[in-house]
Amino acid sequence: GSKQNDRIQTLLEHLLAIPDPCMENKCDHPLEKIMAIAICTAIAGADDWNAIVSFGKEKREWFETFLDIKNGIPSHPIFRRFYFRLFPIF
């Protein structure tokens, strides 16, 4: 619905404000895409890298309504690297 779309748009606006460490033109998966998929997947109860990827693939059509998915859903190593970059003490 409209409220859901507004919330997703607000989430994306916040995610776009975070500096992306990827080098320009060398990143198939922008930070906001990785974070949006990871956050939605965590809310849905995923608890490992493969579950994140599986959920992303299962819900790809829905993610395509607000994310650029032309390069597909990121692989589990990409989500893992993102997580450890975000939380380096683990």
Side-chain angles (χ1 to χ4, degrees), residues 2-44:
S2 181
K3 279 190 175 189
Q4 181 183 17
N5 291 343
D6 290 346
R7 289 180 182 140
I8 291 169
Q9 193 57 43
T10 299
L11 172 64
L12 289 176
E13 287 171 11
H14 288 289
L15 295 178
L16 285 168
I18 300 169
D20 192 341
C22 246
M23 293 174 57
E24 271 307 303
N25 300 322
K26 292 192 177 213
C27 189
D28 290 334
H29 306 288
L31 183 63
E32 69 271 7
K33 177 168 88 171
I34 294 170
M35 291 182 69
I37 294 170
I39 290 167
C40 292
T41 304
I43 291 169

Side-chain angles (χ1 to χ4, degrees), residues 27-64:
C27 189
D28 290 334
H29 306 288
L31 183 63
E32 69 271 7
K33 177 168 88 171
I34 294 170
M35 291 182 69
I37 294 170
I39 290 167
C40 292
T41 304
I43 291 169
D47 59 0
D48 67 36
W49 316 120
N50 291 323
I52 293 172
V53 174
S54 294
F55 182 85
K57 289 179 178 178
E58 181 181 312
K59 302 294 183 185
R60 181 181 175 139
E61 195 172 303
W62 178 71
F63 282 119
E64 286 177 332

